[in-house]
Amino acid sequence: MTERVVRTAAYILLFLWACFTLFPLYWLLTTALSPREAVLAMPPSLVPGEITMVNFRRLFRQAPILTWIRNSAVTSVAITAWHVLFDTAAGYAFAKRQFPGRNFLFWLLIASMMIPEQVTLVPVFMMLDRFGLIDKLQAVILPGMAATFGVFLMRQYIQTLPSELEEAARIDGCSELGIFTRIILPLCKPALGVLAIFTFVANWNQFMWPLIVLNSRHRFTLQVGLQTLQSEFLTDYGLLMAGASISALPTIVLFLFFQRYFISGLTLGGIKG
Amino acid sequence: MKIPYRHSKLLWSYLFVAPTMLMFAVFIGLPLVTSVLLAFQQNVLGEAVWVGLDNFRRLFADYVFSIALKNTALYTLAVVTQNVLIALVAATLIQSLSRRWQSFFRSAFYLPIVTSTVIISMVFRWMFHPQHGLFNLILMSLGREPIFWLADPDLALWSIILSEVLTAPGTSIVLFCAALDRVPKTLYEAADIDGASGFRKWWSITLPLLKPSLLYVLVMNTIGTFQVFSRVHVMTGGGPGYATTTLVQLIYNTAFRDFNFGFASAQALFLFVIIATISLLQFKFLSTDVEY
């Protein structure tokens, strides 16, 4: 009897809290799909009366939104591809191979995860400036390749793989590169999914660094571009929310399709116990 | 000449880690050293003069820096405390449900996390809008005076904190849920035989066993929140005045609006020291050797 009361209370509480926390996303979509009069109406209505695409049409006319989408896609995909390939290679070496300096190098990578990003902002900016890369997409892509989280994740995962397959392949005369590409990489598929999704979402949503290194309107990523629209279209919230929903869509769709990867990624990257 | 097998094996090991180590050296290792050097220079747009400890002296005398430090500390304390508490309660509640509902609620709470902070902050800025924002319209329909959420210097920081409170701490919830899953059920059965109450079981079994995860979530949350930037930059840009200027916002302004690279590096190093100190303290006071 009391158990059932407790359980019902838990359902109600969680349900209310979920509504609360999802409300901003709902309000974002409602505003984006409502005509201007409805957005500024008094009192506002919580459910959209008339659904319209007019905000989206205005947005596409007034901002280079397709260029921004392309820039965001190019940077996130390039960074993700790098990490999928080379974090796995490094993770494999750190997990399964013996070589002098292994522990020291790995310790360096782990220690660097404690350093806040802000410490390296200025030096990296100065270096990219010297090579004339400021305001180019490479200025976002290159430093993005230096994140060390993926190496750690892949090492954790590869450590759980049995070493026998590797040994057997070596006895059969498989080359060292072949062991990596034909044995290790295929076995890593589940972890690679986690790594790819996390890296893509993190870089798609990245804001501060692109804001620093990209200056011209046609070079912006989606996040930076949207933020500049705020000062341009002060209270035109229909248009702003239309832009915001375009930016939110890919990550939300990814999440809905690959929920399990997100959840296991968090716990794999976390601690044991 | 053929390379002996043992050497080729070693060579391949280094080739596997080479791309990662190269990027690490160029974009993390080297910049870290440069950053320390910069902190002792007067460096405006690359014009460098050595000034010893001047940047640090200026830092401690700087009025804006002390405001930013205070804002950041207050923000972190409020946000981390409520995040950890809410995540703990939510994860415990979720754990009592059936499998299907567990995954439903975990996903619902995680969804806002995969949406970028810029987007979430833009929506809140819209809801905080003085004339047309939802919050004030609700207040006015209840016959209350509208509130200048982001324009009132006494309120602005609290409004941004409120926006964090209203966004569920999805990552922490998922981590706590995973930790709760690992608590052996036999412990609860034993407690049942002893006639322990629900709360007693939570307090004496669940909480102690959750301690390692609690420490991890606490440290990660503190480090992340201390570096708050996007939320503030999008909602207020640090204003009105310096009312919502945080440390990272200040570093950003010093480096990329004033182009005072030396001073910005000193600020960033100071931030690093604070974060490292807090993490160490948390580890020292909360670490545990509970095993299960």
Side-chain angles (χ1 to χ4, degrees):
Chain A
M1 176 56 200
T2 46
E3 186 129 331
R4 186 181 285 176
V5 173
V6 169
R7 188 167 285 208
T8 316
Y11 273 113
I12 295 173
L13 269 176
L14 286 172
F15 188 74
L16 284 178
W17 187 239
C19 289
F20 246 101
T21 196
L22 290 176
F23 183 79
L25 293 179
Y26 169 79
W27 196 235
L28 160 82
L29 206 60
T30 310
T31 309
L33 292 172
S34 299
R36 199 178 210 156
E37 315 78 68
V39 170
L40 300 181
M42 294 273 248
S45 99
L46 284 177
V47 276
E50 175 197 346
I51 289 183
T52 163
M53 283 291 158
V54 68
N55 292 318
F56 289 89
R57 253 179 264 132
R58 278 181 24 241
L59 175 73
F60 275 83
R61 242 194 341 261
Q62 308 206 15
I65 198 96
L66 287 174
T67 311
W68 294 347
I69 293 175
R70 200 200 54 134
N71 292 345
S72 281
V74 167
T75 52
S76 327
V77 170
I79 295 171
T80 305
W82 167 279
H83 281 293
V84 163
L85 196 57
F86 293 113
D87 286 3
T88 318
Y92 161 58
F94 284 126
K96 295 281 188 192
R97 303 179 72 98
Q98 299 295 332
F99 55 95
R102 182 181 82 159
N103 291 343
F104 172 70
L105 292 181
F106 188 67
W107 179 86
L108 268 185
L109 295 182
I110 293 292
S112 80
M113 283 162 73
M114 308 284 164
I115 301 165
E117 184 196 2
Q118 292 78 29
V119 176
T120 53
L121 287 183
V122 169
V124 174
F125 179 88
M126 290 168 75
M127 181 163 62
L128 292 170
D129 189 34
R130 197 169 309 146
F131 290 107
L133 290 174
I134 294 299
D135 205 24
K136 300 225 164 69
L137 291 186
Q138 288 96 308
V140 179
I141 295 171
L142 290 173
M145 291 171 172
T148 52
F149 164 77
V151 180
F152 180 65
L153 182 89
M154 293 315 294
R155 175 183 172 266
Q156 295 287 89
Y157 183 80
I158 294 171
Q159 266 183 339
T160 65
L161 301 176
S163 294
E164 286 81 9
L165 286 170
E166 211 185 321
E167 299 300 334
R170 201 164 275 142
I171 290 165
D172 287 348
C174 189
S175 70
E176 295 298 315
L177 184 64
I179 290 174
F180 174 65
T181 54
R182 282 190 247 152
I183 311 282
I184 301 294
L185 264 182
L187 285 174
C188 283
K189 261 186 204 151
L192 285 178
V194 172
L195 177 63
I197 284 175
F198 262 83
T199 314
F200 180 85
V201 170
N203 284 288
W204 180 271
N205 289 342
Q206 197 194 359
F207 176 61
M208 181 158 78
W209 185 247
L211 177 74
I212 290 171
V213 292
L214 304 175
N215 311 317
S216 351
R217 202 169 144 94
H218 67 284
R219 295 274 196 220
F220 287 162
T221 58
L222 206 41
Q223 311 299 334
V224 179
L226 287 177
Q227 192 262 159
T228 61
L229 286 186
Q230 272 200 153
S231 43
E232 214 174 307
F233 300 94
L234 286 169
T235 56
D236 192 347
Y237 276 99
L239 183 136
L240 291 177
M241 292 302 117
S245 55
I246 289 176
S247 152
L249 193 68
T251 55
I252 290 182
V253 169
L254 265 184
F255 176 70
L256 293 179
F257 274 104
F258 298 106
Q259 283 177 50
R260 210 171 301 148
Y261 285 100
F262 279 93
I263 306 294
S264 63
L266 283 181
T267 36
L268 194 65
I271 37 151
K272 305 192 205 95
Chain B
M1 195 186 85
K2 198 171 180 309
I3 304 168
Y5 171 68
R6 195 163 44 89
H7 287 167
S8 107
K9 210 175 155 189
L10 206 56
L11 181 69
W12 272 108
S13 294
Y14 288 114
L15 281 178
F16 282 136
V17 297
T20 297
M21 294 319 296
L22 181 74
M23 288 318 244
F24 171 81
V26 175
F27 290 107
I28 298 175
L30 191 67
L32 191 61
V33 178
T34 318
S35 172
V36 175
L37 297 180
L38 275 170
F40 298 97
Q41 296 172 3
Q42 159 96 334
N43 189 323
V44 179
L45 268 174
E47 297 288 315
V49 185
W50 290 92
V51 291
L53 287 170
D54 270 10
N55 284 327
F56 292 98
R57 261 183 233 121
R58 194 175 140 199
L59 193 69
F60 292 114
D62 190 14
Y63 160 75
V64 181
F65 185 77
S66 69
I67 295 182
L69 188 60
K70 210 185 74 201
N71 285 344
T72 313
L74 179 67
Y75 190 88
T76 307
L77 191 67
V79 170
V80 172
T81 311
Q82 75 83 28
N83 265 2
V84 172
L85 286 180
I86 286 190
L88 208 51
V89 173
T92 309
L93 289 179
I94 288 175
Q95 208 59 23
S96 68
L97 310 179
S98 65
R99 283 276 151 189
R100 171 181 296 193
W101 284 104
Q102 279 186 21
S103 76
F104 170 79
F105 280 118
R106 258 191 332 221
S107 300
F109 290 131
Y110 199 70
L111 197 57
I113 306 287
V114 300
T115 314
S116 81
T117 313
V118 174
I119 304 305
I120 298 283
S121 311
M122 280 172 75
V123 186
F124 272 103
R125 205 174 106 125
W126 162 220
M127 296 200 288
F128 282 138
H129 191 275
Q131 282 102 46
H132 306 290
L134 189 67
F135 289 144
N136 271 353
L137 293 179
I138 292 174
L139 281 181
M140 286 190 290
S141 72
L142 295 173
R144 302 286 185 92
E145 287 290 300
I147 292 177
F148 290 94
W149 299 93
L150 297 173
D152 181 341
D154 293 329
L155 260 181
L157 190 66
W158 289 104
S159 302
I160 303 178
I161 291 174
L162 178 68
S163 82
E164 287 258 22
V165 173
L166 292 177
T167 314
T171 310
S172 313
I173 292 178
V174 171
L175 286 172
F176 281 144
C177 281
L180 286 171
D181 259 347
R182 287 193 298 262
V183 176
K185 299 288 165 286
T186 46
L187 290 177
Y188 295 112
E189 284 155 18
D192 280 335
I193 294 170
D194 293 342
S197 69
F199 178 75
R200 185 62 209 269
K201 278 187 279 186
W202 188 80
W203 183 257
S204 306
I205 300 174
T206 315
L207 204 56
L209 290 180
L210 222 52
K211 231 175 147 188
S213 305
L214 194 65
L215 174 66
Y216 178 76
V217 167
L218 191 67
V219 172
M220 284 309 169
N221 256 304
T222 310
I223 294 177
T225 314
F226 222 87
Q227 299 177 49
V228 55
F229 173 77
S230 308
R231 219 173 251 268
V232 174
H233 191 77
V234 172
M235 280 204 248
T236 61
Y242 294 108
T244 58
T245 300
T246 60
L247 281 180
V248 175
Q249 175 81 49
L250 183 66
I251 294 170
Y252 172 85
N253 290 346
T254 312
F256 301 108
R257 205 190 53 199
D258 310 339
F259 293 102
N260 198 336
F261 291 159
F263 193 37
S265 294
Q267 291 171 335
L269 281 185
F270 190 79
L271 174 77
F272 179 28
V273 171
I274 298 178
I275 289 180
T277 311
I278 297 178
S279 316
L280 275 179
L281 285 178
Q282 286 173 336
F283 267 110
K284 200 165 159 51
F285 284 108
L286 283 164
S287 63
T288 146
D289 35 303
V290 176
E291 292 274 344
Y292 56 94

